[in-house]
Amino acid sequence: MSLVEQIEQLKLEVASTQLNSADEVEAFRVKYLGRKGILNDLFEAFKAIPNEEKKAVGAVMNGLKTSVQEKIDEGSLQFKSNKGDVEVPDFTRPYGEWSHGSRHPLQLVREEILSIFERMGFSVEDGPEIEDDWHVFSGLNFSPEHPARDMQDTFFVEGQPDTVLRTHTSSVQVRVMETTKPPIRIVMPGRVYRNEAISSRAHCQFHQIEGLYIDEGVSFADMKQVLQMFTEAFFGKAKIRLRPSYFPFTEPSAEMDVYWGLETPADHRITKGTGWLEIMGCGMVDPNVLAASGIDSEKYSGFAFGMGIERIAMLRYGVDDLRHFFENDMRFLSQFKKTI
Ligand code: PHE
């Protein structure tokens, strides 16, 4: 038998070999590729053949070597554990802990606030972030020279002096009042923009939740009660006070403070030693605003309020720097993981 015939025969043998365990794979490897293995013997014989035959014979030999190696690779993969037993998963094992992502703290606070108002009969509305002057300012009784329209506070869309990024969620009030007949009882969460580059801590984008209640005979006392119920439900603190304030779209206007207490050093720090914390702006909707949206201000009255979600979230979680909310540091965010 010629060398080539021998090799072809070996190839057939290799192809028909069945390897049934890791041991058999190893024995096969030694038989063919070991120091005293078949391929070494063939190589010795190869040396002796005439040079002009070497090319053709070498190619056939390489083919054999490749099929041997493939057989070994296949076997090793199949019998990974050297005992030759295939690992069977234990389907009865209890599964380990799932690693869930976490909701963003601003999202958690937003949902909690909305759900408190929903329980009081408010429904949720939203509106566009890119707005026109009417919905952000004019329809809310801002005079043409009001400082909030100033370039320093408001982002204008280039080339469109009438189009702005809304500076507050009060714009949604106007949209809803224009299209809905009272009674109106809504909360409006959303993102707002202000050009407040006054310090490195300032952020040009934040979130607010707005509230609006309009019906016949709605009074300041109704507002006070709703805000009191909210504060109690959210913070577990029932003592509030209303301080006179000013907004163009409410009359009278107020700031609502909650009595936070002075129990810990942190309480002293965040309340500046007073025990009181400002939570939101509010007031009775100015009759001009009702009229501008087509609501009969003789018949209907109502109140509105607006709060910043970041500020509430800082108080809820004791976060001392606004920037944590926007940096997406996993060490910060994963603290808000909830087990499901
Ligand atoms: N829009 C006001 C602000 O951005 C908050 C507010 C809303 C005040 C509704 C009164 C009534 O500061």
Side-chain angles (χ1 to χ4, degrees):
M1 221 194 306
S2 75
L3 191 52
V4 171
E5 279 167 351
Q6 271 182 55
I7 297 171
E8 293 294 356
Q9 175 120 27
L10 284 165
K11 258 190 171 171
L12 292 176
E13 257 178 61
V14 168
S16 62
T17 304
Q18 287 278 359
L19 298 173
N20 298 315
S21 69
D23 287 343
E24 283 184 32
V25 175
E26 178 58 11
F28 177 84
R29 189 190 66 79
V30 172
K31 180 176 169 196
Y32 283 91
L33 301 181
R35 215 154 25 89
K36 294 187 179 139
I38 291 173
L39 270 137
N40 258 348
D41 289 348
L42 286 175
F43 195 65
E44 289 304 318
F46 176 77
K47 281 184 190 163
I49 62 173
N51 273 346
E52 59 272 22
E53 284 175 32
K54 277 197 169 128
K55 198 174 172 202
V57 180
V60 191
M61 249 172 88
N62 273 338
L64 173 66
K65 199 171 169 188
T66 307
S67 49
V68 167
Q69 192 59 54
E70 276 171 12
K71 198 93 202 171
I72 294 170
D73 291 347
E74 211 174 89
S76 326
L77 205 66
Q78 194 179 351
F79 308 110
K80 249 202 183 110
S81 60
N82 49 18
K83 293 282 181 297
D85 46 14
V86 183
E87 210 183 312
V88 179
D90 175 1
F91 294 113
T92 64
R93 230 173 59 193
Y95 60 79
E97 257 181 44
W98 286 87
S99 175
H100 294 286
S102 51
R103 316 286 295 276
H104 194 281
L106 295 179
Q107 179 75 359
L108 294 172
V109 165
R110 174 189 186 271
E111 291 205 337
E112 192 177 335
I113 295 174
L114 292 181
S115 83
I116 291 170
F117 283 107
E118 281 175 309
R119 272 179 269 148
M120 286 195 255
F122 287 74
S123 53
V124 180
E125 289 284 344
D126 63 11
E129 291 175 22
I130 302 174
E131 262 294 8
D132 51 36
D133 177 276
W134 171 258
H135 291 96
V136 180
F137 298 126
S138 302
L140 287 162
N141 203 33
F142 281 78
S143 62
E145 346 39 72
H146 194 281
R149 294 165 178 253
D150 197 290
M151 302 293 280
Q152 305 211 327
D153 286 314
T154 309
F155 287 110
F156 290 83
V157 173
E158 215 171 354
Q160 291 178 277
D162 192 46
T163 310
V164 301
L165 298 185
R166 66 179 178 195
T167 57
H168 54 181
T169 41
S170 303
S171 53
V172 190
Q173 285 189 28
V174 181
R175 287 200 171 265
V176 175
M177 286 191 290
E178 282 170 342
T179 52
T180 318
K181 278 199 159 73
I184 297 171
R185 198 154 40 172
I186 50 171
V187 271
M188 299 147 273
R191 196 180 321 192
V192 299
Y193 302 85
R194 284 186 202 173
N195 191 3
E196 289 176 338
I198 42 171
S199 80
S200 64
R201 283 174 179 242
H203 219 276
C204 296
Q205 170 205 305
F206 57 100
H207 300 82
Q208 289 187 328
I209 292 184
E210 186 90 7
L212 178 71
Y213 182 15
I214 294 176
D215 202 351
E216 285 179 52
V218 177
S219 71
F220 198 84
D222 294 325
M223 177 178 89
K224 192 171 174 188
Q225 186 177 17
V226 165
L227 299 186
Q228 157 114 29
M229 282 169 76
F230 161 72
T231 316
E232 209 170 331
F234 188 84
F235 291 111
K237 297 178 196 277
K239 200 162 141 191
I240 65 166
R241 72 178 182 196
L242 292 161
R243 276 182 297 112
S245 183
Y246 175 77
F247 300 102
F249 38 93
T250 48
E251 182 59 36
S253 305
E255 298 286 346
M256 190 207 82
D257 300 342
V258 59
Y259 187 70
W260 191 259
L262 281 172
E263 279 156 39
T264 67
D267 293 344
H268 279 265
R269 184 167 42 78
I270 61 176
T271 68
K272 301 197 176 73
T274 65
W276 291 94
L277 273 179
E278 190 183 309
I279 300 295
M280 63 175 100
C282 56
M284 301 305 290
V285 180
D286 194 302
N288 287 343
V289 173
L290 295 176
S293 298
I295 290 178
D296 181 352
S297 60
E298 296 288 323
K299 189 170 177 201
Y300 294 105
S301 60
F303 62 83
F305 54 89
M307 64 191 116
I309 302 184
E310 280 79 358
R311 178 168 168 73
I312 309 267
M314 285 170 88
L315 294 171
R316 157 57 57 91
Y317 297 117
V319 175
D320 58 5
D321 191 331
L322 187 65
R323 286 171 294 186
H324 288 305
F325 292 129
F326 304 106
E327 281 169 353
N328 289 334
D329 185 330
M330 290 302 287
R331 290 167 302 177
F332 175 71
L333 294 177
S334 62
Q335 295 177 79
F336 301 95
K337 265 189 187 174
K338 274 194 187 164
T339 45
I340 298 179

Coordinates of all heavy atoms in Angstrom, one line a residue, residues 25-88:
V25 N -11.6 10.4 24.2 CA -11.0 11.5 23.5 C -9.5 11.6 23.7 O -8.7 11.7 22.7 CB -11.7 12.8 23.9 CG1 -11.0 14.0 23.2 CG2 -13.2 12.8 23.6
E26 N -9.1 11.4 25.0 CA -7.7 11.5 25.3 C -6.9 10.4 24.7 O -5.8 10.6 24.1 CB -7.5 11.5 26.8 CG -6.1 11.6 27.4 CD -5.3 12.8 26.9 OE1 -5.9 13.7 26.3 OE2 -4.1 12.8 27.1
A27 N -7.4 9.2 24.7 CA -6.8 8.0 24.1 C -6.6 8.2 22.6 O -5.5 7.9 22.0 CB -7.6 6.7 24.4
F28 N -7.6 8.7 22.0 CA -7.6 9.0 20.5 C -6.5 10.0 20.2 O -5.8 9.9 19.3 CB -9.0 9.5 20.1 CG -9.1 9.9 18.7 CD1 -9.4 9.0 17.7 CD2 -9.0 11.3 18.3 CE1 -9.5 9.4 16.4 CE2 -9.1 11.6 17.0 CZ -9.4 10.7 16.0
R29 N -6.4 11.1 21.1 CA -5.4 12.1 20.9 C -4.0 11.5 20.9 O -3.2 11.7 20.0 CB -5.6 13.2 21.9 CG -4.7 14.4 21.6 CD -4.6 15.4 22.8 NE -4.0 14.8 24.0 CZ -2.7 14.7 24.1 NH1 -1.8 15.2 23.2 NH2 -2.1 14.1 25.2
V30 N -3.8 10.6 22.0 CA -2.5 10.1 22.1 C -2.1 9.2 20.9 O -1.1 9.2 20.3 CB -2.4 9.3 23.4 CG1 -1.1 8.5 23.5 CG2 -2.5 10.2 24.6
K31 N -3.2 8.4 20.5 CA -3.0 7.4 19.4 C -2.5 8.2 18.1 O -1.6 7.7 17.4 CB -4.3 6.7 19.2 CG -4.2 5.7 18.0 CD -5.5 4.9 17.9 CE -5.5 4.1 16.6 NZ -6.9 3.7 16.3
Y32 N -3.1 9.3 17.8 CA -2.8 10.0 16.6 C -1.7 11.0 16.7 O -0.8 11.1 15.9 CB -4.1 10.6 16.0 CG -4.9 9.6 15.3 CD1 -5.9 8.9 16.0 CD2 -4.7 9.2 13.9 CE1 -6.7 7.9 15.4 CE2 -5.4 8.3 13.3 CZ -6.4 7.6 14.0 OH -7.2 6.6 13.4
L33 N -1.8 11.9 17.8 CA -0.9 13.0 17.8 C 0.2 12.9 18.9 O 1.0 13.7 19.0 CB -1.8 14.3 18.2 CG -2.9 14.7 17.2 CD1 -3.6 15.9 17.6 CD2 -2.4 14.8 15.8
G34 N 0.1 11.8 19.7 CA 1.2 11.6 20.7 C 2.5 11.5 20.1 O 2.7 11.4 18.9
R35 N 3.5 11.5 21.0 CA 4.9 11.5 20.5 C 5.2 10.2 19.7 O 5.9 10.3 18.7 CB 5.9 11.6 21.7 CG 7.1 12.4 21.4 CD 7.8 13.1 22.6 NE 7.5 12.4 23.9 CZ 8.3 11.5 24.4 NH1 9.3 11.0 23.7 NH2 8.0 11.0 25.5
K36 N 4.6 9.1 20.2 CA 4.8 7.9 19.4 C 3.5 7.6 18.6 O 3.3 6.4 18.2 CB 5.1 6.7 20.3 CG 6.4 6.9 21.0 CD 6.8 5.7 21.9 CE 8.2 5.9 22.5 NZ 8.2 5.4 23.9
G37 N 2.8 8.6 18.2 CA 1.5 8.4 17.5 C 1.7 8.2 16.1 O 2.8 8.4 15.5
I38 N 0.5 7.9 15.5 CA 0.5 7.6 14.0 C 1.0 8.7 13.2 O 1.7 8.5 12.2 CB -1.0 7.2 13.7 CG1 -1.4 5.9 14.3 CG2 -1.2 7.2 12.1 CD1 -2.8 5.5 14.2
L39 N 0.7 9.9 13.5 CA 1.1 11.0 12.6 C 2.6 11.2 12.6 O 3.2 11.6 11.6 CB 0.4 12.3 13.0 CG -0.9 12.4 12.2 CD1 -2.1 12.9 13.0 CD2 -0.7 13.3 10.9
N40 N 3.2 10.9 13.8 CA 4.7 11.0 13.8 C 5.3 9.9 12.9 O 6.3 10.2 12.2 CB 5.2 10.9 15.2 CG 5.6 12.2 15.8 OD1 5.7 13.2 15.0 ND2 5.8 12.3 17.1
D41 N 4.7 8.7 13.0 CA 5.2 7.6 12.2 C 5.1 8.0 10.7 O 6.0 7.8 9.9 CB 4.4 6.3 12.4 CG 4.7 5.7 13.8 OD1 5.7 6.2 14.4 OD2 4.0 4.8 14.2
L42 N 3.9 8.6 10.4 CA 3.7 8.9 9.0 C 4.8 10.0 8.5 O 5.3 10.0 7.4 CB 2.3 9.5 8.8 CG 1.2 8.5 8.8 CD1 -0.2 9.2 8.7 CD2 1.3 7.5 7.6
F43 N 5.1 10.9 9.4 CA 6.0 11.9 9.1 C 7.4 11.4 8.8 O 8.1 11.8 7.9 CB 6.1 13.0 10.2 CG 6.7 14.2 9.8 CD1 6.1 15.0 8.8 CD2 7.9 14.6 10.4 CE1 6.8 16.2 8.4 CE2 8.6 15.8 9.9 CZ 8.0 16.6 9.0
E44 N 7.8 10.3 9.6 CA 9.0 9.7 9.3 C 9.0 9.1 7.9 O 10.0 9.2 7.2 CB 9.3 8.6 10.4 CG 9.6 9.1 11.8 CD 10.8 10.0 11.8 OE1 11.8 9.8 11.1 OE2 10.7 11.1 12.5
A45 N 8.0 8.4 7.6 CA 7.9 7.8 6.3 C 7.9 8.9 5.2 O 8.5 8.7 4.1 CB 6.6 7.0 6.2
F46 N 7.2 10.0 5.5 CA 7.2 11.1 4.5 C 8.5 11.6 4.2 O 8.8 11.9 3.0 CB 6.3 12.2 5.2 CG 6.2 13.5 4.4 CD1 5.4 13.6 3.3 CD2 7.0 14.6 4.8 CE1 5.3 14.7 2.6 CE2 6.9 15.8 4.0 CZ 6.0 15.9 3.0
K47 N 9.4 11.6 5.2 CA 10.8 12.1 4.9 C 11.5 11.3 3.9 O 12.4 11.8 3.1 CB 11.6 12.0 6.2 CG 11.3 13.2 7.2 CD 12.3 13.0 8.4 CE 11.9 13.9 9.5 NZ 12.6 13.5 10.8
A48 N 11.1 10.0 3.8 CA 11.9 9.1 2.9 C 11.4 9.2 1.5 O 12.1 8.6 0.6 CB 11.7 7.7 3.4
I49 N 10.2 9.8 1.2 CA 9.7 9.7 -0.2 C 10.5 10.8 -1.1 O 11.0 11.7 -0.6 CB 8.2 9.9 -0.3 CG1 7.8 11.3 0.3 CG2 7.4 8.8 0.4 CD1 6.4 11.7 0.0
P50 N 10.5 10.5 -2.4 CA 11.2 11.4 -3.3 C 10.6 12.8 -3.2 O 9.3 13.0 -3.0 CB 10.9 10.8 -4.7 CG 10.3 9.5 -4.5 CD 9.8 9.4 -3.1
N51 N 11.4 13.8 -3.4 CA 11.0 15.2 -3.3 C 9.8 15.5 -4.1 O 8.9 16.3 -3.7 CB 12.2 16.1 -3.6 CG 13.0 16.3 -2.3 OD1 12.6 16.0 -1.2 ND2 14.2 16.9 -2.5
E52 N 9.8 15.0 -5.4 CA 8.7 15.5 -6.3 C 7.3 15.0 -5.8 O 6.3 15.5 -6.2 CB 9.0 15.1 -7.7 CG 9.2 13.6 -8.0 CD 10.7 13.2 -7.8 OE1 11.4 13.9 -7.1 OE2 11.0 12.1 -8.3
E53 N 7.3 14.0 -4.9 CA 6.0 13.5 -4.5 C 5.5 14.2 -3.2 O 4.4 14.1 -2.8 CB 6.1 12.0 -4.2 CG 6.1 11.1 -5.4 CD 6.3 9.6 -5.1 OE1 5.9 9.2 -4.0 OE2 7.0 8.9 -5.9
K54 N 6.5 14.9 -2.6 CA 6.2 15.5 -1.2 C 5.0 16.4 -1.2 O 4.2 16.4 -0.3 CB 7.5 16.2 -0.7 CG 8.4 15.2 -0.1 CD 9.4 15.9 0.8 CE 10.2 14.8 1.6 NZ 11.6 14.9 1.5
K55 N 4.9 17.2 -2.2 CA 3.8 18.2 -2.2 C 2.4 17.5 -2.1 O 1.6 17.8 -1.3 CB 3.9 19.1 -3.5 CG 3.1 20.3 -3.3 CD 3.3 21.3 -4.5 CE 2.3 22.4 -4.3 NZ 2.0 23.1 -5.6
A56 N 2.2 16.5 -3.0 CA 0.9 15.9 -3.1 C 0.7 15.1 -1.8 O -0.4 15.2 -1.2 CB 0.9 14.9 -4.3
V57 N 1.7 14.3 -1.3 CA 1.5 13.5 -0.1 C 1.3 14.4 1.1 O 0.4 14.2 2.0 CB 2.7 12.6 0.1 CG1 2.5 11.7 1.4 CG2 2.9 11.7 -1.1
G58 N 2.1 15.5 1.1 CA 1.9 16.5 2.3 C 0.5 17.0 2.4 O 0.0 17.1 3.5
A59 N -0.1 17.3 1.3 CA -1.5 17.8 1.3 C -2.5 16.8 1.9 O -3.3 17.1 2.8 CB -1.9 18.2 -0.1
V60 N -2.3 15.5 1.5 CA -3.2 14.5 2.0 C -3.0 14.3 3.5 O -3.9 14.1 4.3 CB -3.0 13.1 1.3 CG1 -4.0 12.1 1.7 CG2 -2.9 13.3 -0.2
M61 N -1.7 14.4 3.9 CA -1.3 14.2 5.4 C -2.0 15.4 6.2 O -2.5 15.1 7.3 CB 0.2 14.3 5.6 CG 0.7 12.9 6.0 SD 2.5 12.9 6.0 CE 2.8 13.5 7.6
N62 N -1.9 16.6 5.6 CA -2.5 17.7 6.4 C -4.0 17.5 6.5 O -4.6 17.8 7.6 CB -2.2 19.0 5.6 CG -0.9 19.6 6.0 OD1 -0.4 19.3 7.1 ND2 -0.4 20.4 5.2
G63 N -4.6 17.0 5.5 CA -6.1 16.7 5.6 C -6.3 15.7 6.7 O -7.3 15.9 7.5
L64 N -5.5 14.7 6.9 CA -5.7 13.8 8.0 C -5.6 14.5 9.3 O -6.4 14.3 10.2 CB -4.7 12.6 7.8 CG -4.7 11.6 9.0 CD1 -6.0 10.8 9.1 CD2 -3.5 10.6 8.9
K65 N -4.5 15.3 9.4 CA -4.2 15.9 10.7 C -5.4 16.8 11.1 O -5.9 16.8 12.2 CB -3.0 16.8 10.5 CG -2.4 17.1 11.9 CD -1.0 17.8 11.8 CE -0.6 18.4 13.1 NZ 0.6 19.2 13.0
T66 N -6.0 17.5 10.1 CA -7.1 18.4 10.4 C -8.3 17.6 10.9 O -9.0 18.0 11.8 CB -7.5 19.2 9.1 OG1 -6.4 19.8 8.6 CG2 -8.6 20.2 9.4
S67 N -8.6 16.5 10.2 CA -9.8 15.7 10.7 C -9.6 15.1 12.0 O -10.5 15.0 12.8 CB -10.2 14.7 9.6 OG -9.1 13.9 9.2
V68 N -8.3 14.8 12.3 CA -8.0 14.3 13.7 C -8.3 15.4 14.7 O -9.0 15.2 15.7 CB -6.6 13.8 13.8 CG1 -6.2 13.5 15.3 CG2 -6.3 12.5 13.0
Q69 N -7.8 16.5 14.4 CA -7.9 17.7 15.4 C -9.4 18.0 15.6 O -9.9 18.2 16.7 CB -7.2 18.9 14.8 CG -7.0 20.0 15.9 CD -6.3 19.5 17.2 OE1 -5.2 19.0 17.1 NE2 -6.9 19.7 18.3
E70 N -10.2 18.0 14.5 CA -11.6 18.3 14.6 C -12.3 17.3 15.5 O -13.2 17.6 16.3 CB -12.3 18.3 13.2 CG -12.1 19.6 12.5 CD -12.5 19.6 11.0 OE1 -13.1 18.6 10.6 OE2 -12.2 20.5 10.3
K71 N -12.0 16.0 15.3 CA -12.6 15.0 16.1 C -12.3 15.2 17.6 O -13.2 15.1 18.4 CB -12.0 13.6 15.7 CG -12.8 12.5 16.1 CD -13.7 12.1 14.9 CE -14.9 11.3 15.4 NZ -15.9 11.2 14.3
I72 N -11.0 15.6 17.9 CA -10.7 15.9 19.3 C -11.4 17.1 19.8 O -12.0 17.0 20.9 CB -9.1 16.1 19.4 CG1 -8.4 14.8 19.0 CG2 -8.8 16.6 20.8 CD1 -6.9 15.0 18.9
D73 N -11.5 18.2 19.0 CA -12.2 19.4 19.5 C -13.6 19.1 19.8 O -14.2 19.5 20.8 CB -12.1 20.5 18.4 CG -10.7 21.0 18.3 OD1 -9.8 20.7 19.2 OD2 -10.4 21.7 17.3
E74 N -14.2 18.4 18.9 CA -15.7 18.0 19.0 C -15.9 17.2 20.3 O -16.8 17.5 21.1 CB -16.0 17.1 17.9 CG -17.4 17.1 17.3 CD -17.4 16.2 16.1 OE1 -17.7 15.0 16.3 OE2 -17.2 16.8 15.0
G75 N -15.0 16.2 20.5 CA -15.1 15.4 21.7 C -14.9 16.2 23.0 O -15.6 16.0 24.0
S76 N -13.9 17.0 23.0 CA -13.6 17.8 24.2 C -14.7 18.7 24.6 O -15.1 18.9 25.8 CB -12.3 18.7 24.1 OG -11.4 18.1 23.2
L77 N -15.4 19.2 23.6 CA -16.5 20.1 23.8 C -17.6 19.4 24.5 O -18.3 19.8 25.4 CB -16.9 20.7 22.5 CG -17.7 22.0 22.6 CD1 -16.7 23.1 23.1 CD2 -18.2 22.4 21.2
Q78 N -17.8 18.2 23.9 CA -19.0 17.4 24.4 C -18.7 16.8 25.8 O -19.7 16.8 26.6 CB -19.2 16.2 23.5 CG -20.5 15.5 23.7 CD -20.7 14.4 22.7 OE1 -19.9 14.2 21.7 NE2 -21.7 13.6 22.9
F79 N -17.5 16.5 26.1 CA -17.2 15.9 27.5 C -16.3 16.8 28.3 O -15.2 16.4 28.6 CB -16.6 14.5 27.3 CG -17.3 13.6 26.4 CD1 -16.8 13.3 25.1 CD2 -18.6 13.1 26.8 CE1 -17.5 12.5 24.3 CE2 -19.3 12.3 25.9 CZ -18.8 11.9 24.7
K80 N -16.8 18.0 28.5 CA -16.0 19.0 29.2 C -15.5 18.5 30.5 O -14.3 18.6 30.7 CB -16.8 20.3 29.4 CG -16.3 21.4 28.5 CD -16.7 22.7 29.0 CE -16.2 23.8 28.0 NZ -17.3 24.4 27.3
S81 N -16.4 18.1 31.4 CA -15.9 17.6 32.7 C -15.1 16.3 32.4 O -15.6 15.5 31.7 CB -17.0 17.4 33.6 OG -17.9 16.5 33.1
N82 N -13.9 16.2 32.9 CA -13.1 15.1 32.5 C -13.6 13.7 32.9 O -13.1 12.7 32.5 CB -11.6 15.3 32.9 CG -11.6 15.6 34.4 OD1 -12.6 15.4 35.1 ND2 -10.5 16.2 34.8
K83 N -14.7 13.7 33.7 CA -15.2 12.4 34.0 C -16.1 11.8 32.9 O -16.5 10.7 32.9 CB -16.1 12.5 35.3 CG -15.4 12.8 36.5 CD -14.7 11.6 37.1 CE -13.9 11.8 38.3 NZ -12.8 12.8 38.1
G84 N -16.4 12.7 31.9 CA -17.2 12.2 30.8 C -18.6 12.4 31.1 O -19.4 12.0 30.2
D85 N -19.0 12.9 32.3 CA -20.5 13.0 32.5 C -21.0 14.4 32.1 O -20.3 15.4 32.4 CB -20.9 12.7 33.9 CG -20.0 13.3 34.9 OD1 -19.2 14.3 34.5 OD2 -20.0 12.9 36.1
V86 N -22.1 14.5 31.4 CA -22.6 15.8 31.0 C -23.3 16.4 32.2 O -24.1 15.7 32.9 CB -23.6 15.6 29.8 CG1 -24.1 16.9 29.3 CG2 -22.9 14.8 28.7
E87 N -23.1 17.7 32.4 CA -23.8 18.4 33.5 C -25.2 18.6 33.2 O -25.6 19.2 32.3 CB -23.1 19.7 33.8 CG -23.1 20.0 35.3 CD -22.5 21.4 35.5 OE1 -21.4 21.6 35.0 OE2 -23.2 22.2 36.2
V88 N -26.1 18.1 34.1 CA -27.5 18.3 33.9 C -28.0 19.4 34.9 O -27.7 19.3 36.1 CB -28.3 17.0 34.2 CG1 -29.8 17.2 34.0 CG2 -27.8 15.9 33.3

